[in-house]
Amino acid sequence: MNPVIPSTVVTRFAPSPTGWLHEGHAYSAGFAWARAQQAGGRFLLRVEDIDRTRCRPEFDAGLLEDLAWLGLRWEEPVRRQSQHFDGYRAALNGLSSRRLLYPCFCTRKQVLAEIARIGGAPHAEDGTAIYPGTCRHLSDDERSSRIASGEGYALRLDLAAACALHPSLLWHDEELGEQQATYEVLHALHGDAVLARKETPASYHLCVTLDDALQGITLVTRAVDLRSATPLHRLLQALFDLPTPAYAHHPLLVDAGGERLAKRHNAPSLRECRAAGEQPAALWRRLGFDPALFGF
Ligand code: GLU
């Protein structure tokens, strides 16, 4: 592969307003900011608020406040995913018309029962069992009549059909070098991934992939726990004919006891640090960044 070296580095921080930001978020934002600053590039913010049941306006306002306090500045307007459901729907319709998506009527319980019946299924890295493909084989007639009868469904990617179009996909991971996604890799990690469900009409994977391209992101930076999402994002890029950014990952912040901050419910929020009188420069230093990068 001959990667095209982009002339400008464009990074982003993409938090979800489902809680107050904590130091782990500051670290992630600082990582993206530093990479853009060091390259004389651009830094963008994106609010990933597709999950309308968990996102709250006060967290959205709070994250802007916290990031500004940290000295970060971003280009306006901020992209808010909840304002772009039409675009995500159009993308899903495009995949459906190419027969790359299928409706899945299975409840979680039914999926587990089917897995038990067939004697087990491989598990993805996050511990969830890989979907055994039950609804992939339904006829068009059955699909239409179940949808018409009001039965709820999710839309899943037909991974085998998608990989038949793109059997080998490459991208650059800064820590691991050139990476390759094949059907085997994708099946082990994601199976027929859900790209939309009733309560969340566009999945994280779909929105992130489309938005990174739309926003012209050239370097996706995120925590190492999201590395396994990239093969699927790379496949979606190929299906939508989008450019492929480079990827860089940072370690997850852990507390003194080794527990991940993101998993800790009582991890001190940035607003609590602020209320306790901590200065942003001190916080950046504590996280291992040079405060000068942020104007302090
Ligand atoms: N919104 C995601 C999160 O808060 C980050 C998505 C990404 O960086 O790809 O975990």
Side-chain angles (χ1 to χ4, degrees):
M1 183 174 63
N2 287 320
V4 178
I5 308 294
S7 52
T8 313
V9 171
V10 186
T11 67
R12 48 65 168 186
F13 178 54
S16 295
T18 54
W20 304 116
L21 298 191
H22 54 65
E23 289 170 2
H25 295 107
Y27 187 86
S28 198
F31 188 85
W33 169 270
R35 291 302 305 265
Q37 288 292 105
Q38 285 154 356
R42 296 163 57 208
F43 170 82
L44 306 181
L45 178 63
R46 178 167 76 233
V47 176
E48 303 214 320
D49 57 353
I50 36 172
D51 185 345
R52 303 312 291 154
T53 59
R54 292 175 59 227
C55 294
R56 300 221 308 252
E58 60 269 35
F59 295 140
D60 189 320
L63 73 88
L64 298 179
E65 221 175 275
D66 290 340
L67 296 175
W69 175 74
L70 286 169
L72 304 185
R73 290 169 299 283
W74 50 88
E75 295 177 20
E76 297 284 350
V78 170
R79 186 171 171 91
R80 282 199 169 65
Q81 292 186 326
S82 60
Q83 294 169 355
H84 300 280
F85 279 121
D86 287 351
Y88 304 135
R89 198 168 305 119
L92 287 168
N93 289 343
L95 292 182
S96 284
S97 64
R98 294 161 68 193
R99 298 189 70 84
L100 294 171
L101 293 185
Y102 63 88
C104 170
F105 303 94
C106 299
T107 60
R108 223 173 285 268
K109 222 167 127 186
Q110 285 166 333
V111 173
L112 294 178
E114 174 64 8
I115 289 170
R117 193 187 67 78
I118 60 177
H123 280 67
E125 234 172 34
D126 66 1
T128 55
I130 296 294
Y131 180 64
T134 320
C135 287
R136 195 190 312 126
H137 309 292
L138 300 180
S139 67
D140 284 350
D141 281 352
E142 178 164 1
R143 285 174 181 161
S144 316
S145 71
R146 288 174 78 168
I147 291 173
S149 75
E151 207 175 322
Y153 62 93
L155 290 174
R156 287 187 184 272
L157 182 66
D158 185 333
L159 187 66
C163 288
L165 298 172
H166 301 285
S168 160
L169 293 161
L170 303 175
W171 70 95
H172 181 70
D173 178 305
E174 283 201 354
E175 302 82 43
L176 302 181
E178 187 173 86
Q179 298 293 292
Q180 183 183 26
T182 57
Y183 173 77
E184 286 68 32
V185 168
L186 279 152
H187 182 262
L189 288 172
H190 299 284
D192 287 355
V194 169
L195 294 191
R197 46 176 107 244
K198 201 160 146 221
E199 38 328 336
T200 316
S203 75
Y204 157 73
H205 298 299
L206 180 85
C207 301
V208 154
T209 306
L210 293 172
D211 286 357
D212 281 338
L214 267 164
Q215 293 189 286
I217 304 303
T218 65
L219 177 66
V220 171
T221 61
R222 54 191 175 203
V224 71
D225 62 332
L226 279 173
R227 179 179 266 140
S228 59
T230 307
L232 179 56
H233 299 183
R234 181 66 190 89
L235 176 60
L236 292 172
Q237 285 156 12
L239 293 174
F240 292 122
D241 202 14
L242 301 172
T244 299
Y247 290 82
H249 304 86
H250 58 78
L252 286 161
L253 278 200
V254 293
D255 66 12
E259 194 176 358
R260 274 175 55 184
L261 285 192
K263 295 270 180 212
R264 238 182 71 180
H265 297 300
N266 60 348
S269 66
L270 295 177
R271 56 175 27 221
E272 282 167 335
C273 298
R274 195 158 80 227
E278 176 150 35
Q279 293 303 309
L283 189 137
W284 283 126
R285 227 173 273 119
R286 195 149 54 74
L287 295 180
F289 291 94
D290 177 358
L293 266 175
F294 307 89
F296 297 109

